[in-house]
Amino acid sequence: MNPEPPGPPGPSEPAEAPEAAYPAASPAERGTPVGRRIFLGTLALGALGVVAAPPLQRGMEAFLGGAADKDPTGLTGLLPNGGGFRYYSVTSSVPHRNATDYRLTVDGLVDRPAAYTLADLRALPQTRMVKDVQCVTGWRVPGTPFEGVRLSALLDAAGVHAEAGAIRFTCFDGAYTESLTLAQARRADVLVALRMQDKDLGHDHGGPVRLYVAPMYFYKSAKWLSGITVTEKVKPGYWEERGYDVDAWVGRSNGRDDEPTS
């Protein structure tokens, strides 16, 4: 379904009372010098915050990701973590995959169907790009690095048939699907991503492998990617069947006017 328009503005805020209505601050309250001990203590706390922030953020990401993985309501998806992302799955739980049991199949209208292990994908030429991530619900994470194999390279290796016109993506959560036209899939800014924010994709962010479609809203970047099937025509994906636009260009679809991400 399309995002709802913003509601009507609420009642205006009450005007602040005139300055004279508040008691004047005493000289002791105005401009009192900060003592050396307090100043040094403040600096120490600031330094501690700088040191502690990354572990705290990682802990929050792990907590929210674990909670979302066991949350059939999707309510944990409303909570931002320290990196600005929201965690969401359309199923009540998602199995984990790793280098031992992960496979990405490429099939359909191709000459050479294939099944890639994680090691196979890592051995292929990698492309890194840094762009904003924009969700159709409104949140945005600027300057996010993604790295992986260009989808066009996998399609070229498979040998796409002349009658092909689209790609269907499936995921190992067992429910989510996505699609692109063949022309969209061959863009240089569409990746089969293995890394995000300069580290391997974790399970909570759709790892070990996800789709990344840089110029489209983030629902097109299917998490937990397991299948790439070349088809004749576009088949709407999970959210498109529920009202979202099939062609999800940022700022030019879904009734939104966000700044483009590419």
Side-chain angles (χ1 to χ4, degrees), residues 93-119:
S93 65
V94 181
H96 288 241
R97 296 284 184 267
N98 55 38
T100 302
D101 57 6
Y102 178 78
R103 296 293 184 275
L104 174 63
T105 60
V106 180
D107 56 20
L109 299 176
V110 297
D111 295 326
R112 296 174 291 278
Y116 292 88
T117 66
L118 199 54

Side-chain angles (χ1 to χ4, degrees), residues 117-257:
T117 66
L118 199 54
D120 293 334
L121 293 172
R122 287 171 174 165
L124 295 173
Q126 305 291 301
T127 296
R128 184 178 186 270
M129 61 183 69
V130 180
K131 297 182 182 293
D132 293 356
V133 167
Q134 177 70 54
C135 181
V136 74
T137 60
W139 56 264
R140 190 180 187 105
V141 183
T144 304
F146 279 87
E147 187 174 348
V149 181
R150 282 191 171 130
L151 177 56
S152 59
L154 297 184
L155 296 176
D156 289 344
V160 175
H161 291 181
E163 68 271 25
I167 313 292
R168 178 171 171 81
F169 304 95
T170 51
C171 307
F172 62 77
D173 69 347
Y176 202 83
T177 59
E178 255 310 331
S179 64
L180 293 171
T181 67
L182 187 58
Q184 292 166 353
R186 288 194 176 280
R187 287 177 58 108
D189 52 6
V190 176
L191 299 180
V192 172
L194 310 177
R195 292 172 61 81
M196 187 182 88
Q197 296 176 317
D198 295 319
K199 53 182 179 286
D200 290 345
L201 265 171
H203 176 79
D204 303 328
H205 285 298
V209 177
R210 73 176 298 161
L211 186 65
Y212 177 52
V213 185
M216 293 190 179
Y217 285 105
F218 209 33
Y219 66 86
K220 301 296 290 190
S221 297
K223 298 195 289 186
W224 306 301
L225 184 64
S226 62
I228 298 171
T229 300
V230 179
T231 62
E232 188 174 349
K233 297 179 180 179
V234 167
K235 181 177 180 180
Y238 182 92
W239 284 117
E240 289 89 355
E241 291 176 339
R242 289 156 177 82
Y244 282 91
D245 287 354
V246 173
D247 294 322
W249 306 107
V250 173
R252 295 188 284 122
S253 65
N254 294 286
R256 298 187 61 88
D257 59 356

Side-chain angles (χ1 to χ4, degrees), residues 49-112:
V50 170
V51 172
L56 286 174
Q57 178 173 325
R58 288 193 295 270
M60 181 61 75
E61 289 182 356
F63 169 75
L64 287 176
D69 193 35
K70 299 175 177 62
D71 175 19
T73 69
L75 292 178
T76 46
L78 302 176
L79 301 174
N81 70 29
F85 286 89
R86 311 295 198 266
Y87 292 102
Y88 189 75
S89 169
V90 300
T91 65
S92 59
S93 65
V94 181
H96 288 241
R97 296 284 184 267
N98 55 38
T100 302
D101 57 6
Y102 178 78
R103 296 293 184 275
L104 174 63
T105 60
V106 180
D107 56 20
L109 299 176
V110 297
D111 295 326
R112 296 174 291 278

